[in-house]
Amino acid sequence: MTPLSDLLETEPYVATAGVELFATTLSSQAIPVDTVDWRPPIPGTETALAHVMADERRAPANAEALARMLASTAELVDVRPASAALGLEPGEFLHAGPPVDWDHASGPLRGALVGAMIFEGLAGTPEEAESRLSSGTGVSLMPCHDRGAVGPMAGVVSPSMWVFELRDEANDGTAWCSLNEGLGKVLRYGAYSPDVIDRLRWMSDVLGPLLRMAVRRRGRVDIKGIVAQMVQMGDEGHNRNRAGTLMLLRELLPDLIDSGEPSAKVAEVVRFVSGNDHFFLNLVMPAGKLQTGAATGIEGSSLVTVMARNGTDFGIQVAGCGRRWFTAPANTPDGLFLGSYGPQDANPDIGDSAICETMGIGGFAMASAPAIVRFVGGTVPDALRTSRLMYEITAGENPAYALPILEFRGAPTGIDVTLVARTGILPQINTGMAGRVAGTGQVGAGLVQPPAECFTAALDALAELAGDGQVPPLRSSG
Amino acid sequence: MTRILDIRAGVYHDSVSLMQVSASVQKETGVRSALVAMATGLNLDVLTGMGFAEPESAGPNDLLIAIDADDDDAIGRARAAVDAALNARAQAPASGFGDAPAPRTVGSAARRSPVTIAFISTPGQHAFTEAMDAVDHDLPVIVFSDNVPLEREIQLKLAAGRRGTLVMGPDCGTAVLGGVGFGFANVVRPGPVGIVAASGTGAQHLMSLLDGAGVGISHCLGVGGRDMADDVGGISTLTSMDLLAADHATEQIVVVGKPPAPRVAEEIRAHASRLGKPVRFALLGEAQPDLTAAARLVVEALGGTWAEPRSWAPPTGPATMPAGGHLRGLFSGGTLCDEAMIIAAEALGPVRSNIPLRPEWALPTDLRTDGHAMIDFGDDALTQGRAHPMIDGSLRAERILAEAADASCGVLMLDVVLGHGAHPDPAAELAPAIEQARHRARAEKRELAVLVSLVGTAADPQGLDQQAERLAEAGAAVHLSNAAAARHAVSLLKEGHDTAQ
């Protein structure tokens, strides 16, 4: 059946965009009409939008990108030191977000790098670490994403830290993420006090090896399956990972117990994991990286594959532009603060964890986790409205991540920069807030949006690649 | 400075609620910092960070209330605020789920509802994006918007061709699908004639004339004024002809528009000969039959009897014209303006216009002349930032009065288009202007003749007869044939001219 076979035979059902009068006259003829709440696009994007919309490759490329994202699997296959998994050498550090150097790094990223220097034995004191980092001798920084990894908040990964290794067999992808330290004063929020370093040592000495043993004994753990369940259990996978963490523990517990390790050590590990409601975040994130990364490099596709922040800039990547970053200064989240901290203490948006929203959960799955919306004093209807709004900027829905309260509608998946430009609706991100000053740690949690400039810059780049140069600029009048 | 630390054993609230309570307490004047939280290890650290000593016995099931304030009054206000906030949480009213936000793009509407067709009337520079979205969702799309660049129109139509769908427009003013009118559309009876229209008002006029002669319409598919030009190559015209050929209700296909580019004309005619249904061309232009003549041919081809379209005379007919009177036409429909200009120019010589038949007949930018002139108020340049004259007649009403004050104007010709989308009562807007204009001319010892070509059907919501009668009462001669109105105007001028000789 072609789109036209019924056109003259059946009563029309009309979608209208523009002058309201014409929708009204159709309604007055008793014709069903869906009136699009059409508004002009983000100012200045008209020409680029037309170029990208005219790109013949776009529709099939986006269909392919979405298909790969939906087909993506995510299995935890191993837990290893980053030196082995990612080939990190001493002095090499990964960080969250787009590229940044020490001079432009924010407080929490600097704090995390200082802590990682001390943890790696490259500096004895914070002062020494800072001086080596600022001179850059023997030290190199690189985004996690550029190595196929992701890291929450500061996202600092050094060679001795252990990482989860996940595989996507459908798309032959591999992604990595560090192990979650818990809340409060932790490295990823920029803290580097001795207790922070001691915890990192314990994670490398005890937690990592025991998790590796459990995963290897048990065999692969289906992370996608756990994510699917958690979004039906009140988690949105970014700021709330309680159900996911417990389900992971349930998968690993028999092999931990049966590992032959002293029961006191096993108990330490279990206590640590079960006492940290965010432990599973670091498995949701690489699952997201596998899903969205599967579309990287599909020429003509306008779907977003990365949203990430380094505490200074927000950066995105789109499938049709490969691994090119489109950056703009990051916004500061709005939310609730711990203790006596306030907005003045919060650092601008930081972390690779916006991969959760890029994959369609986190802020996009607010409807499944109404508790999260209260971080900004919102209501349950706000949560539902937010999720429903995200469908306006996404190419499809992920049936694997079904949201029960929306009648099991699939999570809004595949952010399309053309839809962001057309609607002016920006992705909604749930996030933690790090202290602005290095060494502070977490100060709160809340909601944030990316700067629109990332999306308009990506749109401009897609327009150039569309190779549609013979068309003159759109006339503004006449 | 004063501070208090309360521990309420066994009182549980979740952490998010408590963060909100803390936030509201901190807003009280005189409160420096406050922590209302369960006594978890993490929160006890925060507590000591605020300068409090760690309580001896407090666990995760106990509620901590720590307040640091300027004085005892502030402490009191803070405590009251804590209790109020905790109680308020317990009594929060249940709320509904709210409505889903409206779709913001055509694609979103298409994914939500069983949409079968899209209708785009956004400003022109945004129409391509929205229309392409419809095509991407395999929808036929009517693009009412004008000002879409030609290259974009071609891209849109090629994309539609690849996906097996149809683009009607851009600048598609009218369409009728199985009796449902889109854009500006008259209410026509169902019948055997299927129309492919590259002219919106041309199609409206043809349909209204056929309806008046008792011949109904199966469908009218608009294709946009440039579809049959060389660059576009008739993509939508050919698809529309195929659709009508396959449609059981259509017996006779009529293609309305300006004469196609020669190469396109050849292809369309060759295509028509293979359709298995009769195809007629109602081509608009010099040396072509006018639309009324074309309607007559269609009616007679279907075995009907043609009667001249109705007309209404004003209560007192116009007297003879003063010598030197000129014809002024004020139109809302471009094709109607064109047709009237062709008829007038043949008899009267050059007719100046903003859409001139010949480049040298172009009106200056102020649209003023002492000679014969016709203005298309529906032209892009005159609709920027305002409603189409079929919707809002105020600009034309002003111009009617201005013409009345101009001694060089002897005959005024207007079109009035009825139907869905048009002004709900155009006569109410124009008739007073006509009355005033004639009154003013008479006050200056001149006679101003007003002729109206009324495009509409008996079933149009405005009421054809009521509109015609109201306009005639105002002093206009009303014709359902635009060509007849134009000829009437010419005859008045010729007659006046002859009398003056």
Side-chain angles (χ1 to χ4, degrees), chain B residues 59-403:
Chain B
N61 293 323
D62 304 325
L63 180 66
L64 291 176
I65 301 173
I67 300 165
D68 180 355
D70 291 341
D71 50 40
D72 287 345
D73 284 354
I75 293 280
R77 283 196 299 277
R79 282 184 143 151
V82 170
D83 290 335
L86 289 173
N87 290 335
R89 295 231 61 82
Q91 294 162 6
S95 49
F97 289 166
D99 293 329
R104 294 287 298 276
T105 59
V106 169
S108 169
R111 288 199 296 269
R112 290 182 192 201
S113 307
V115 170
T116 61
I117 186 166
F119 183 91
I120 312 294
S121 57
T122 65
Q125 76 261 38
H126 308 299
F128 170 75
T129 290
E130 223 54 47
M132 191 57 104
D133 197 10
V135 169
D136 282 347
H137 287 84
D138 290 336
L139 290 179
V141 56
I142 300 173
V143 184
F144 178 90
S145 317
D146 53 15
N147 283 322
V148 175
L150 179 64
E151 292 83 355
R152 295 298 181 210
E153 175 175 348
I154 295 167
Q155 285 166 333
L156 200 52
K157 287 180 172 176
L158 290 175
R162 284 194 296 274
R163 300 196 77 114
T165 186
L166 173 68
V167 175
M168 295 184 242
D171 204 6
C172 172
T174 190
V176 176
L177 298 177
V180 177
F182 292 77
F184 296 121
N186 302 97
V187 181
V188 290
R189 69 185 81 209
V193 178
I195 295 175
V196 180
S199 155
T201 43
Q204 282 192 273
H205 193 26
L206 181 66
M207 284 192 281
S208 296
L209 289 166
L210 292 174
D211 186 87
V215 172
I217 304 299
S218 59
H219 313 280
C220 171
L221 304 174
V223 295
R226 298 184 297 216
D227 192 69
M228 290 185 240
D230 243 342
D231 298 312
V232 188
I235 297 171
S236 292
T237 301
L238 296 172
T239 306
S240 298
M241 288 166 72
D242 288 340
L243 280 175
L244 293 173
D247 171 53
H248 64 86
T250 303
E251 295 168 24
Q252 166 81 59
I253 298 170
V254 181
V255 180
V256 188
K258 292 199 170 132
R263 187 181 61 79
V264 181
E266 201 176 303
E267 188 172 353
I268 290 173
R269 286 191 190 278
H271 198 77
S273 68
R274 295 191 292 266
L275 288 179
K277 278 187 189 175
V279 179
R280 262 179 193 285
F281 293 86
L283 300 180
L284 315 163
E286 293 179 73
Q288 300 285 350
D290 58 58
L291 281 166
T292 307
R296 177 179 187 156
L297 291 171
V298 172
V299 170
E300 288 175 351
L302 287 164
T305 314
W306 177 256
E308 286 308 318
R310 287 193 291 161
S311 61
W312 288 258
T316 53
T320 53
M321 295 299 108
H326 290 91
L327 174 58
R328 301 284 156 76
L330 307 177
F331 287 86
S332 59
T335 297
L336 302 174
C337 183
D338 253 348
E339 188 181 67
M341 286 198 293
I342 289 165
I343 289 167
E346 198 177 279
L348 304 173
V351 178
R352 302 198 186 274
S353 177
N354 61 333
I355 54 163
L357 294 175
R358 296 176 197 175
E360 62 269 29
W361 293 354
L363 273 174
T365 46
D366 68 354
L367 304 180
R368 293 282 168 192
T369 178
D370 290 338
H372 305 297
M374 296 199 180
I375 298 170
D376 173 18
F377 282 85
D379 185 53
D380 299 354
L382 296 185
T383 55
Q384 290 289 334
R386 60 165 67 238
H388 193 279
M390 286 184 199
I391 300 172
D392 176 3
S394 57
L395 196 63
R396 276 209 301 170
E398 281 170 30
R399 184 64 185 242
I400 290 169
L401 295 177
E403 293 294 346

